[in-house]
Amino acid sequence: MRNLTPVILLAGVSAMLAACGGGGGVFNRARPDEFAVQRQAPLVVPPDFTLTPPAPGAPRPAEGNAAEQALDALFGGPAPRSRIEASLIDRAGNAAPSIRSQVGDTGTNTVAKGRVTRDIIAAPEGDGQSASTVIPSA
């Protein structure tokens, strides 16, 4: 009996350690994503019964999706603009519709930002293994 006790103890410890292993469990079954579940809003009786019914599969207009609800809960929706911000936006005016195609044009005027900015932009891509430092002389 004394010789059998360490064997039983070793088998019990190894069984407990085997239960701690990862790998997706015994059957490796797919589990649902608990963060993808969202609650449905309660049904609301509209005050005007002459409304047209929504199209099948269309999102509910009062509900929105989960991302919009989260942003609204965190930040409280869009903030009203101050007088200064509204004045600045009015002075800026509207952008030209073709502004995105004109940005890369060679005839577009640019501002020289200096040698340092040019060197940063022209730096080679990579993880910096072959980088070297240069100390400019005064």
Side-chain angles (χ1 to χ4, degrees):
M1 185 67 176
R2 295 185 129 210
N3 292 340
L4 194 59
T5 304
V7 173
I8 293 173
L9 184 64
L10 183 63
V13 168
S14 60
M16 285 190 285
L17 285 176
C20 296
V26 178
F27 301 110
N28 199 13
R29 63 183 175 93
R31 292 172 183 85
D33 185 10
E34 62 269 12
F35 297 109
V37 178
Q38 66 181 18
R39 291 197 310 219
Q40 293 292 328
L43 295 175
V44 178
V45 177
D48 185 10
F49 293 106
T50 61
L51 296 174
T52 58
R60 295 171 61 169
E63 185 176 327
N65 61 13
E68 291 171 357
Q69 288 177 355
L71 287 175
D72 191 37
L74 288 172
F75 302 111
R81 290 196 167 109
S82 66
R83 286 187 303 113
I84 295 172
E85 187 178 6
S87 171
L88 182 68
I89 290 173
D90 289 341
R91 286 184 184 186
N94 293 333
S98 61
I99 188 70
R100 291 180 186 260
S101 61
Q102 293 173 0
V103 170
D105 188 16
T106 56
T108 303
N109 295 331
T110 58
V111 177
K113 297 288 185 178
R115 199 179 82 210
V116 175
T117 305
R118 184 193 68 223
D119 293 342
I120 290 171
I121 293 173
E125 293 184 19
D127 56 359
Q129 293 292 331
S130 61
S132 63
T133 58
V134 176
I135 301 173
S137 57

